[in-house]
Every structure is written in C-alpha cells, then in structure tokens.
C-alpha cells in the first residue's frame, strides 16, 4: 500500500499573508476554516444604525454619521428665576403701626417733661416727677420712631396693570400684583413694571425683500410682560431687548413691498411673530403679533424701484390695450364677413385689419387719461 506523504507549507509572515492551507499530492487547496464546520457560528456584532456607505472600490471604511448641532439656540436664563408672589400686608397694618409709633413718641415726650404746659393742661396729664431726657427716654424715642417709620414707610398703593418686583441685597424676593393700599417691607428695593397689554410701533427698520432689495419697514408689536422676574432681572432692559429681537427677525424674513398681496404680508407677519416669540419667551415676554404696517423702499433704491414700477405698470397697460384692440378688430371683421356685408380677399382683409387697428388704437389713446 502506498502512503501519501503530506508536507505542510510554511506560512508567510506579515500583515498581507494568505489564508492558511494544507497541501498534499492528491488534494487541492483546502482552507483551514472548512475543517471546523461543526462549530457554531459566532454571534453577529451589532452595528450602529446611522452609517454612511463607503465609496465603491476605494477600501474606505464606513463613517458613522454624527448628529448635527442645532442651527439656532434659544437664549437661556437662570431656570430658578421665576415669578412668585411676595409677602405683603394690608395697608391697615402699616397705618396702625405708624399711629402706634407716633403715639409712642408723644408718650416719650410727656415722659421726658417736654410736653408744653398748655397741651398737658388740655389733655389733663400730670407732670412727671423725674423730668429730663435720660437713656430710658431716648430708648423710648428710638423704639417708637422706628415703629412709626417702619409703618408709614412701608405703605404703598397698588394699581391695576402695574406690579412691583421686590429685591433685598441683590436677591429676588417676589412680585406684588395686588391693588389697593398695601404694606411692603420698606427695606426691600421696589422696581415698578407695566404688565398691561402694550402696542409698540417701531421706527423704520432695515429689511429686504425676496430679491435682496433694501426696504424700510415699520412694524406694530402687541406684547406684554408675562414673568416680571425674568423681564426685570433676566435682562438689562426688556424693551430694548424686544426691539433688537424684532430687528433681527426682519433681517432673516423677506418682506414684500406694498402691493405684493395680502397673502405674502400675512406670511411675513406669521414668520416674524414666530421668531420673536421664540426669542423673547425665555425672558418672560409674551408677544402676540408682529405685523408690518408700512413698507417702503430704502432711500438709495427708491428712485430706481419707482421707475421700474412705473415701467411695469405702463407695460401692463399697453398689453391690456393691445389685447382689447385685437379682440375688437377680430370681432368687427368676423361680423362683417359672416353677415355678408363685405366680400374680401386676403389682401383686402389685411388692409381692413390694419386700418381698424390704427383707428382703435388712436381712439383708446385719446380716451386714456
């Protein structure tokens, strides 16, 4: 029996070496992994869902698509800064404290013997034995005066549509929206805020139409302060901030000039309102509408655009006149031919059309203002 000798082939080293093979005299090349088909296949490795395919034939590895950053980020204000009601007392409490302080001062004056004799006789008060200003009298004066000043100094009048933002040593202490006579801690810093519905008519602001032609736009903004804490403390001046937001929105939204149509004006107003609402909501402003009320061309292009508009109107008028003349000539020639009033050949028809066109055009030109 002849045995077949098997000689293993040396494996080349290096990163580009071929697959491991077993070579002999009577068999072909057998890959090593075919000898272990009974083993279970390894579990598939999960891949990321967002993958951009590589280019064919370049050997480039797939690239993972990273999420794009947000195009615009809304302004952020301190999330802990939000309007909350402040602790106040009815005005009667302040009046009572002030009266008590005044009465205490009068009693300290009588105790020190400084009350005029006529007043003492009128009130039938006896003269105290130890008259004079001593430490006890000064303490009584200080206490009664502090109570009186604290009582009368904290009186305030709340009005409808107005609010106070209170602060103590730079810290927000609450908002007062109540009306009538109130007592507010006199140590608190008060900032008055108008919370009524307000209409602001801007001055002419720069803008552009869809073609990039410069415009001057006057807008009417309906707005109010919704969160007094953020409007007063979250930004330096909320009215100036609102104006800047409107101007920035006009720079991004194309506005059509007068005569472009109501649909385009409404679309521009809606886009302006949406942008301004998104920019002013973090500082506590509630914007209801931003509507252009006057649109005109910028001074540097006003003359050119006026001439272009006049030329367009003139061309439109000429086109309408020509259409009317052609229709009139056609109707006249058709009626003459159909009724048998004239029998025209081709040359005569052309001459008649020419004469009628000149006559109708002359008549329309005399009727034009």
């Amino acid at each position: 029996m002849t045995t077949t000798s098997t000689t293993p082939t040396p494996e080349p080293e290096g990163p580009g070496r071929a697959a491991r093979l077993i070579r002999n005299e009577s068999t072909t090349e057998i890959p090593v992994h075919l000898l272990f088909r009974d083993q279970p296949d390894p579990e598939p490795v999960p891949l990321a869902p967002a993958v951009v395919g590589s280019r064919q034939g370049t050997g480039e590895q797939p690239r993972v698509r990273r999420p794009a950053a947000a195009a615009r980020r809304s302004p952020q204000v301190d999330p802990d800064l939000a309007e909350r009601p402040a602790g106040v007392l009815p005005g009667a409490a302040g009046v009572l404290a002030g009266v008590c302080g005044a009465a205490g001062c009068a009693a300290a004056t009588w105790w020190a013997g400084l009350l005029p004799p006529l007043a003492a006789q009128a009130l039938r008060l006896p003269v105290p034995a130890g008259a004079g200003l001593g430490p006890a009298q000064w303490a009584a004066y200080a206490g009664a005066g502090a109570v009186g000043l604290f009582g009368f100094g904290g009186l305030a009048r709340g009005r409808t549509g107005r609010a106070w933002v209170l602060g103590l040593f730079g810290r927000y202490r609450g908002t007062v929206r109540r009306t009538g006579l109130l007592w507010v801690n006199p140590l608190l810093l008060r900032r008055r805020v108008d919370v009524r519905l307000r209409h602001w008519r801007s001055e002419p602001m720069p803008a552009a139409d869809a073609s990039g032609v410069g415009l001057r736009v006057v807008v009417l903004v309906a707005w109010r302060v919704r969160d007094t804490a953020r409007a007063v403390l979250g930004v330096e001046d909320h009215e100036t901030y609102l104006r800047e937001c409107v101007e920035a929105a006009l720079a991004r939204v194309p506005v059509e000039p007068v005569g472009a149509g109501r649909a385009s004006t409404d679309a521009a107003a809606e886009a302006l309102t949406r942008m301004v609402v998104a920019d002013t909501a973090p500082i506590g402003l509630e914007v209801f509408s931003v509507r252009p009320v006057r649109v005109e061309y910028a001074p540097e292009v006003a003359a050119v655009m006026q001439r272009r508009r006049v030329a367009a109107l003139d061309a439109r008028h000429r086109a309408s006149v020509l259409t009317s003349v052609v229709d009139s000539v056609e109707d006249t020639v058709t009626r003459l031919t159909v009724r048998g009033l004239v029998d025209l050949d081709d040359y005569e028809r052309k001459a008649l059309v020419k004469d009628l066109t000149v006559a109708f055009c002359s008549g329309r030109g005399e009727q034009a203002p």
Side-chain angles (χ1 to χ4, degrees):
M1 179 179 295
T2 304
T3 60
T4 304
S5 62
T6 303
T7 304
T9 304
E11 299 177 2
E13 298 180 356
R17 65 185 182 180
R20 299 176 59 187
L21 304 175
I22 298 178
R23 299 176 181 272
N24 54 28
E25 296 178 356
S26 60
T27 61
T28 58
E29 297 179 358
I30 303 175
V32 175
H33 68 275
L34 295 179
L35 302 177
F36 305 95
R37 292 298 299 272
D38 296 336
Q39 296 182 359
D41 295 335
E43 297 181 358
V45 179
L47 299 177
V51 177
V52 179
S54 60
R55 293 177 293 179
Q56 296 291 338
T58 59
E60 183 180 355
Q61 296 295 328
R63 295 169 293 177
V64 178
R65 181 182 300 169
R66 293 179 173 82
R72 294 180 61 252
R73 293 185 178 180
S74 300
Q76 298 294 332
V77 184
D78 186 3
D80 298 332
L81 185 62
E83 179 180 334
R84 61 178 182 271
V88 296
L89 298 177
V95 174
L96 180 61
V99 171
C100 291
C105 290
T109 303
W110 170 79
W111 187 17
L114 301 179
L115 194 67
L118 295 178
Q121 293 177 4
L123 298 175
R124 298 179 181 182
L125 296 176
V127 178
L133 288 175
Q137 287 79 6
W138 281 115
Y141 266 121
V147 172
L149 291 177
F150 220 71
F152 287 127
L155 292 177
R157 184 178 62 175
R159 298 181 179 180
T160 303
R162 304 294 177 90
W164 281 307
V165 176
L166 307 181
L168 180 62
F169 303 118
R171 185 178 179 182
Y172 174 62
R173 304 300 297 177
T175 299
V176 179
R177 287 180 178 260
R178 297 172 57 181
T179 58
L181 187 61
L182 307 172
W183 184 85
V184 184
N185 188 350
L187 299 179
L188 299 176
L189 177 64
R190 309 175 191 176
R191 297 183 182 181
R192 187 179 293 274
V193 185
D194 191 344
V195 295
R196 297 173 294 179
L197 178 64
R198 304 171 65 182
H199 289 76
W200 171 58
R201 185 185 179 94
S202 71
E203 68 279 2
M205 293 184 173
D209 60 4
S211 302
V213 179
L215 301 173
R216 290 294 183 269
V217 182
V218 177
V219 297
L220 182 64
V221 184
W223 66 285
R224 71 180 179 91
V225 176
R226 177 176 51 84
D227 192 313
T228 56
R230 293 190 175 187
V232 175
L233 305 177
V235 68
E236 183 176 359
D237 187 355
H238 60 274
E239 295 185 3
T240 303
Y241 183 82
L242 174 63
R243 180 189 181 281
E244 298 296 335
C245 289
V246 172
E247 189 171 358
L250 283 174
R252 300 194 299 267
V253 177
V255 181
E256 296 301 328
V258 177
R262 183 175 179 180
S264 60
T265 303
D266 293 342
E270 183 179 355
L272 288 173
T273 303
R274 184 170 59 255
M275 288 187 179
V276 175
V277 166
D279 291 339
T280 57
I283 66 165
L285 300 185
E286 186 175 5
V287 178
F288 297 97
S289 66
V290 181
R291 180 170 295 277
V293 294
R294 191 178 69 188
V295 182
E296 56 187 12
Y297 288 105
E300 57 271 14
V301 298
V304 177
M305 298 307 297
Q306 183 67 22
R307 289 196 298 268
R308 182 181 298 181
R309 185 178 180 183
V310 170
L313 291 176
D314 184 64
R316 191 181 307 171
H317 175 69
R318 289 177 182 274
S320 63
V321 169
L322 182 59
T323 302
S324 178
V325 168
V326 170
D327 293 341
S328 300
V329 170
E330 181 182 5
D331 182 63
T332 303
V333 174
T334 302
R335 288 186 178 185
L336 291 174
T337 306
V338 171
R339 294 183 181 182
L341 299 178
V342 293
D343 187 9
L344 305 174
D345 56 8
D346 191 21
Y347 177 78
E348 292 175 346
R349 182 185 296 274
K350 291 181 180 180
L352 179 60
V353 169
K354 178 180 179 182
D355 295 339
L356 290 176
T357 302
V358 172
F360 286 153
C361 287
S362 300
R364 295 299 176 88
E366 293 176 357
Q367 295 176 4

